[in-house]
Amino acid sequence: MAQWLLKAVISGALLWVMIQWVGLEALKTVLKPSLAQWILAGVGLYLISQAFSSLRWYQLATALIKPIGQRLMIFRFFGWYLLGMFYSLFLPSAIGGDAGRVLWLSRFAGVQKRTAFLSVLAERGVGFLSLIWLAGGLVCMPDMASHLPQAVSITILSFAGLSLAGWGALLWMRQSAFWKTMQRHPLGAWLAASDVLWCNPRLMVKTLLLAFAVHACMGLILTGLAFGLHLQIAWSTLLLSYVAASIASLLPFSLNGLGVREGVLVLVLTLYGVDRSSAVALSVSSMSVSTLTSLLGGVFWPLSFSKATTLPLKAVAPEASKHSSQSSSNNASSAITCSCSQAISLEAF
């Protein structure tokens, strides 16, 4: 409770400093009554972006769950995703909403907690990678890099390059004898999950495209809000501001990134020539869109109690081969470690 109160105070202080920086009266002159319709349109786009995010989570989760014979309703994932946003409004960080998603998927869909955790972790990982790579691409544009400190540009490009190199190293290690040896280690279940999620190019491409679709929606939201405020800001500038604010919101200093996210958005916008009052007005409008969308997630509150429907498929039965003979057991073990398209043992998750 003390931690929650401390972060709430920090968030409130950051927002207060940001508003006092331009003055309340100056902010009122920028905000216009016609902005309300653009905020509502932003909420609609935000819901679409969260549908993309929930579809990304669904694809990653079913990549783990399908081999053990379960199919889940995608609507449930959308409801759980928005419900996680709702709970994150009142928890110290967005991790609280993610913990809820793990709990709901494991409790109401008959999925083991390790599998549910891996699916949420992978969904967040794909989103973070797409943010880093998008930032790297934007920084490579000459008109964007010229406004940023050189150290910031080098840091962004370094992280983007290292993440690409790390993914390539993972794909290379998968072909090595060391990888197959580690599959028999107690950590073999985690490696098997990595084999399914990160070493599947088709799955990675699909989930990355969904992540970039989410970022495009966020850029459109900021573009609409800027239009409603009669601001002329390049779409690339708005997109870079969003990326920087999203990464900064991961810092565990405030309540669900509130205050930090808005402050970084204002900082980046002012670097590109947007005046203070307009930048703060755009940041406050963006905060209104995300808050209203998160509150709508409360509509799905009954999903945190109702049991989801699972449609059984023809399940893989690794246990039968385990108890039949030593040869069959070896074949089952080989099926775990061979490739992403082969079955994963139920005991591994």
Side-chain angles (χ1 to χ4, degrees):
M1 186 64 180
Q3 183 185 21
W4 185 92
L5 288 175
L6 177 61
K7 291 188 174 184
V9 169
I10 293 175
S11 294
L14 290 173
L15 291 174
W16 182 83
V17 169
M18 184 180 68
I19 294 175
Q20 291 298 314
W21 187 41
V22 297
L24 188 58
E25 294 300 323
L27 186 61
K28 287 180 179 179
T29 60
V30 178
L31 295 173
K32 304 179 184 301
S34 60
L35 185 63
Q37 60 184 353
W38 292 100
I39 291 177
L40 292 177
V43 171
L45 265 177
Y46 208 118
L47 288 172
I48 293 174
S49 73
Q50 297 312 289
F52 288 141
S53 295
S54 59
L55 179 58
R56 182 178 71 211
W57 178 31
Y58 171 82
Q59 290 184 340
L60 291 166
T62 51
L64 292 170
I65 297 167
K66 186 177 179 181
I68 61 174
Q70 289 177 318
R71 181 185 296 163
L72 300 176
M73 297 172 59
I74 189 172
F75 175 76
R76 296 279 178 171
F77 282 79
F78 180 65
W80 288 331
Y81 208 98
L82 289 180
L83 190 58
M85 291 178 58
F86 175 74
Y87 278 109
S88 293
L89 282 176
F90 312 101
L91 295 173
S93 68
I95 297 176
D98 291 340
R101 289 197 284 150
V102 171
L103 177 65
W104 301 320
L105 181 58
S106 62
R107 178 180 295 178
F108 303 125
V111 178
Q112 294 195 12
K113 289 183 179 179
R114 183 184 299 177
T115 307
F117 171 75
L118 286 171
S119 70
V120 173
L121 182 64
E123 189 270 330
R124 286 297 188 185
V126 170
F128 181 74
L129 283 178
S130 64
L131 279 174
I132 294 295
W133 293 344
L134 180 58
L138 290 170
V139 167
C140 288
M141 301 171 61
D143 57 332
M144 299 296 293
S146 60
H147 292 80
L148 294 175
Q150 187 176 13
V152 173
S153 300
I154 293 175
T155 301
I156 293 174
L157 291 174
S158 298
F159 273 105
L162 287 173
S163 59
L164 276 172
W167 188 25
L170 187 64
L171 293 174
W172 175 79
M173 287 179 59
R174 177 175 170 265
Q175 307 298 328
S176 65
F178 172 76
W179 184 273
K180 295 180 179 180
T181 301
M182 288 299 294
Q183 293 280 10
R184 296 188 290 272
H185 192 269
L187 295 177
W190 299 88
L191 293 178
S194 177
D195 201 31
V196 171
L197 298 174
W198 299 106
C199 300
N200 187 336
R202 180 177 296 180
L203 178 64
M204 286 298 295
V205 168
K206 288 194 298 184
T207 53
L208 282 171
L209 287 177
L210 286 170
F212 286 123
V214 171
H215 305 327
C217 287
M218 295 302 177
L220 289 174
I221 290 173
L222 289 176
T223 301
L225 294 174
F227 185 82
L229 291 168
H230 304 292
L231 302 176
Q232 298 293 328
I233 306 175
W235 192 68
S236 56
T237 300
L238 293 172
L239 199 56
L240 182 62
S241 303
Y242 151 73
V243 171
S246 298
I247 294 175
S249 66
L250 299 175
L251 298 174
F253 299 140
S254 61
L255 190 64
N256 195 24
L258 188 64
V260 175
R261 179 175 53 246
E262 288 71 26
V264 171
L265 187 68
V266 170
L267 177 62
V268 176
L269 288 173
T270 54
L271 286 176
Y272 287 89
V274 181
D275 63 273
R276 293 181 180 181
S277 57
S278 299
V280 172
L282 183 59
S283 180
V284 171
S285 302
S286 176
M287 180 183 66
S288 302
V289 170
S290 61
T291 303
L292 287 174
T293 309
S294 298
L295 288 174
L296 285 176
V299 174
F300 295 91
W301 186 62
L303 283 181
S304 60
F305 301 100
S306 61
K307 187 176 180 62
T309 302
T310 59
L311 303 177
L313 301 175
K314 185 178 181 181
V316 177
E319 292 86 351
S321 61
K322 180 179 178 180
H323 294 291
S324 61
S325 66
Q326 183 65 33
S327 175
S328 300
S329 177
N330 292 335
N331 290 336
S333 177
S334 176
I336 297 174
T337 60
C338 183
S339 68
C340 303
S341 61
Q342 293 176 311
I344 299 177
S345 170
L346 179 61
E347 294 177 352
F349 298 97

